[in-house]
Amino acid sequence: MENDKFKQKNVDFLVDDASKKIEEMIVTAELKPGSIVSEKEISEYLDIGRTPVREALKRLEPTHLFKTIPRKGILIRIVTVDELLLQMEPRKVLEELVVKRAAKYAFPDERDKLRQLATEYRKVTEEWAPAIEALRIDDEFNRLLCKSSKNPFIGQMLLPQHALARRQYYLNYFIDKELTARVNYSHAKLMDAIADGDDKKALSELDELFNNLKEFNSISLSTWIQFDD
């Protein structure tokens, strides 16, 4: 029995690891939009077994980062700016809920971590560190935010929506540095407000963040090209 539990924990770890690596490969265009890659190729590239890779791809399906092509593999999707802007509508509703709950229910250690992430976000912005560093801070923030809300159902709905947003964020990071800095500082201010337990200020900072994101997602209409499903 104990051996079975150990094996399952190991499988779960491999699936988590594969999920994060595959998502990051798509978000950073290491797997190029429009390309088709097989489960076997991903498995060999990551040096992870086929079963964890298969389970990781199932877990990532709700992100809309790719489309499964039977007997061929996965097609890395190309999407439109319109799709991203439409996605922001339900995302905003969910984020308002998760922000209010996190401001109210976050544990002290979670509030400390939020302040730490805010400091790190400001630092990478001031130093113009590689975009991947900001990307990873943002991912950690989103996961911590959902955890702090003490409602796992919100995270299940919200976290997959962040993947497309991170894709656009990475692609546009250096197109307009002033706007990118506004987006980053909006994130940091939101983290601080949640950490302080000030839900009204947090919602105000969230509004500012989404206004900046809407402008950010629209700055390069050529970044995303329509993919005909």
Side-chain angles (χ1 to χ4, degrees), residues 77-91 164 168 172 213-227:
R77 293 193 65 243
I78 305 172
V79 299
T80 63
V81 172
D82 284 347
E83 182 176 347
L84 286 165
L85 297 178
L86 285 172
Q87 184 220 40
M88 289 178 69
E89 293 180 6
R91 200 178 121 205
L164 283 183
Q168 181 75 351
N172 282 354
L213 285 174
K214 187 174 182 180
E215 185 177 351
F216 186 84
N217 286 336
S218 303
I219 60 177
S220 177
L221 295 177
S222 62
T223 301
W224 297 83
I225 305 170
Q226 176 69 44
F227 170 69

Side-chain angles (χ1 to χ4, degrees), residues 36 61 79 95 97 104 186-187 220:
I36 297 177
E61 280 181 352
V79 299
E95 295 216 12
L97 179 58
K104 183 176 182 179
S186 291
H187 275 97
S220 177

Side-chain angles (χ1 to χ4, degrees), residues 33-62:
S35 65
I36 297 177
V37 60
S38 71
E39 184 183 287
K40 181 174 182 286
E41 289 171 321
I42 296 174
S43 175
E44 292 175 349
Y45 182 80
L46 295 178
D47 195 22
I48 297 175
R50 293 278 293 273
T51 298
V53 167
R54 185 179 304 116
E55 292 303 312
L57 290 171
K58 289 180 182 177
R59 183 180 295 183
L60 289 171
E61 280 181 352

Side-chain angles (χ1 to χ4, degrees), residues 11 22 27 31 43 57 68-69 77 80 83 87 89 112 124 134-136 144 149 152 155 173 207:
V11 170
I22 294 169
V27 165
L31 292 177
S43 175
L57 290 171
T68 301
I69 307 295
R77 293 193 65 243
T80 63
E83 182 176 347
Q87 184 220 40
E89 293 180 6
D112 290 342
V124 299
L135 199 74
R136 289 169 178 165
L144 177 60
S149 75
Y173 197 82
D207 282 339

